[in-house]
Amino acid sequence: MMRMIPDAWCSLAVLSLWLFCAMPAQAETPPEPADTSSPSVAEPSESAPPSDPPWPSKIPPLVLSSSDGAHKLRFSFVAQMHYQMDAVEDEPGEGRDISHRFRWRRVRLDLRGSLPAAKFDYRLHLNVSPGALELMDLYVNYALTPTYQFRLGQQKIPFTRHRLNSFTNLQFVDWALVSPWFGAERQVGLTLHNGYKDLPLIEYEVGVYTGQNVRKSHGVGVAMAYEEKRVNPSSLTDPAPLDEFHPAFAWHLAYNYNGIRTSYDTDFEKREFRFTIGASMVADIRPVEYRDAALRAAFEALMKVRGFSLGGMYYLLAHETDAELDIHGAQLHTSYLIGDHVELALRYATVMLVQSFREELRDRSATLRAALSDPTDNSYLSIGTLQDEHEITFGVNVYVIGRNLKWQTDTSWLLHSLDSGTTHDFRVRSQLQLAF
């Protein structure tokens, strides 16, 4: 039987405290002033019964502000208690290995400051999950005008609005399988943009970056295909060394119709029809062989109407500057919000490796195996054997207090087409998120 670790009890205590603080207190009715007029016959009256306080819609962050409002600090915290069951078929036709895991999926501390008079703000974002200490974001932002703003430092590169958004707003327990292959990751660089929230009709972000992902979680499709070791320079306990500078240029452009909120896919507003369409591209001038992509492109769209949302992305990747497109990917997701607290969501995602690229992967596998001293060593055998993979996920979300306190559960079917056949995996995940 699984036992809850002591840290979990501490978090439950913190959760209870915040729930208590989030409940609005019922206002007391002030006493009526004394009646000094001449006595009269009192008329009977009926007093309305006291109304229950409204259910809170959000848990606010801790905000400190100077007396004149010239400087503000906002402290935020996120914790995700995560359970996962996997039934994995390692080889076609073999039985499945079943595993269970309970963990802290993400624990984050976030500090944001602003100097409105100077049109200046900054952010420090840390991953403090058990066993990890990692720098996520560290940047400064200067708004010359609302239309022309500059962000300098470690940040997500602008590749799809979907990945620019926070993980706290996901409609599922985690990102789809396309995200590790194609999704935007953090790099150090400079971005010119017109604001990431409350966006105008035309949205843009364009920038130049170092070319190296400082985390190993997303946008590592080439390294995954070649089964190369992925490094993590953003770790504060055991940082990997940085590459030599090889500039990457990235941009994202979108058209946002009828005031659509693009920072989350769910239609919480339940208004009339709205949509956004966009395109993104990343080009690395000198990609590191076997690890970086020379070119990534994506097209995406999202529509919302009366609680219903439908969106999707299509991805393209070339691993060399003079190569053809090597990997394709796609994601389609839809959801419906029932009332204000329950959402049903469905997602399909796929990754497809082009035949010519798979032949190149197999050549790499043969070269690596030829250098092995032990011919019975099975290392590198799986390089180039993956043809495509697919994911279908169905999820149920319960928004207890908006997106600040929510419980998400989803189940997935995962198909992997290999040279030796097809494997089918199954996965069940459940996660409680506290964010403020």
Side-chain angles (χ1 to χ4, degrees), residues 10-204:
C10 296
S11 292
L12 288 176
V14 173
L15 172 61
S16 301
L17 177 61
W18 272 93
L19 285 175
F20 175 77
C21 295
M23 298 294 183
Q26 184 173 344
E28 296 182 0
T29 304
E32 294 289 339
D35 186 4
T36 58
S37 61
S38 58
S40 60
V41 178
E43 295 183 1
S45 61
E46 293 185 3
S47 59
S51 59
D52 293 332
W55 187 258
S57 60
K58 64 179 180 179
I59 304 176
L62 173 62
V63 179
L64 302 178
S65 178
S66 61
S67 57
D68 58 358
H71 188 200
K72 294 182 180 179
L73 283 175
R74 192 188 81 174
F75 298 89
S76 300
F77 172 79
V78 178
Q80 293 180 335
M81 300 171 61
H82 180 101
Y83 165 77
Q84 182 166 329
M85 186 279 289
D86 292 288
V88 178
E89 184 181 21
D90 291 327
E91 295 292 337
E94 294 187 358
R96 294 181 176 85
D97 296 328
I98 299 178
S99 62
H100 302 266
R101 180 168 53 172
F102 178 84
R103 59 173 173 159
W104 295 106
R105 178 66 182 88
R106 295 179 180 94
V107 182
R108 303 283 176 84
L109 293 175
D110 200 350
L111 170 64
R112 298 173 187 254
S114 64
L115 296 166
K119 303 179 181 180
F120 177 83
D121 58 80
Y122 54 90
R123 184 185 187 189
L124 170 62
H125 181 200
L126 297 173
N127 174 19
V128 292
S129 303
L133 180 59
E134 185 179 12
L135 178 64
M136 305 296 294
D137 298 280
L138 178 62
Y139 58 76
V140 295
N141 191 89
Y142 174 71
L144 183 63
T145 68
T147 305
Y148 300 102
Q149 302 185 43
F150 299 89
R151 178 180 288 187
L152 176 64
Q154 182 169 308
Q155 58 189 295
K156 283 184 183 179
I157 64 173
F159 186 70
T160 75
R161 163 52 61 177
H162 182 70
R163 261 297 291 168
L164 282 174
N165 293 338
S166 171
F167 67 89
T168 60
N169 295 335
L170 285 174
Q171 294 176 308
F172 300 87
V173 172
D174 212 342
W175 306 96
L177 64 82
V178 291
S179 192
W181 288 89
F182 304 95
E185 191 47 276
R186 291 163 173 86
Q187 295 188 17
V188 177
L190 175 67
T191 306
L192 173 66
H193 64 95
N194 62 342
Y196 285 87
K197 295 183 179 180
D198 300 324
L199 294 166
L201 189 66
I202 302 297
E203 167 194 359
Y204 78 89

Side-chain angles (χ1 to χ4, degrees), residues 290-306:
Y290 309 130
R291 200 187 69 196
D292 294 332
L295 178 69
R296 282 179 288 163
F299 306 92
E300 62 183 327
L302 174 67
M303 58 145 285
K304 299 181 183 182
V305 58
R306 308 298 181 188

